[in-house]
Amino acid sequence: MKRVLILTDGKAGHENQSKAFVRGLGYEAELCPVRFKSRFHKAVSYIFDFFGVLSPSLFETEAAASHGDYAAVVGAGSGTFYAVKALARAKGCPSAAILYPRGY
């Protein structure tokens, strides 16, 4: 069965929405915590995103996120949106943001 990488900011509501989305698509979910290295890095991510620059150096994930073959990368919450886009591009797979990404 194909797996989808779910990036989580640790908020249960965000995780549950992402899990339900992935289950609804018929895929297996693999959770991976993600966080920006600092508030400054999160602020820089808004600027980078505006110019289309996606840099994994702004956030931290578990090593599992960098390994493996995933059908897609999914996340919910502003703490995951930029990381979802950056990791999906790096892995060459689609991405999905759950909830409305106001800042990005």
Side-chain angles (χ1 to χ4, degrees), residues 63-99:
S66 61
H67 298 88
D69 190 27
Y70 298 100
V73 181
V74 173
S78 65
T80 67
F81 293 144
Y82 183 80
V84 165
K85 289 167 56 170
L87 284 178
R89 181 177 288 171
K91 294 184 170 299
C93 63
S95 64
I98 312 298
L99 301 175

Side-chain angles (χ1 to χ4, degrees), residues 5-104:
L5 181 64
I6 296 178
L7 298 183
T8 176
D9 58 5
K11 295 178 182 169
H14 293 165
E15 277 185 27
N16 290 334
Q17 289 185 44
S18 298
K19 287 178 187 177
F21 177 72
V22 171
R23 275 194 311 266
L25 294 174
Y27 291 103
E28 182 180 311
E30 185 173 324
L31 289 174
C32 179
V34 64
R35 68 182 184 90
F36 285 100
K37 292 182 177 179
S38 69
R39 287 183 179 176
F40 173 75
H41 287 88
K42 185 172 184 176
V44 169
S45 76
Y46 287 98
I47 297 165
F48 277 17
D49 187 64
F50 179 79
F51 290 106
V53 177
L54 297 175
S55 174
S57 66
L58 298 179
F59 55 88
E60 298 172 337
T61 62
E62 290 184 354
S66 61
H67 298 88
D69 190 27
Y70 298 100
V73 181
V74 173
S78 65
T80 67
F81 293 144
Y82 183 80
V84 165
K85 289 167 56 170
L87 284 178
R89 181 177 288 171
K91 294 184 170 299
C93 63
S95 64
I98 312 298
L99 301 175
Y100 183 68
R102 295 175 205 237
Y104 291 101

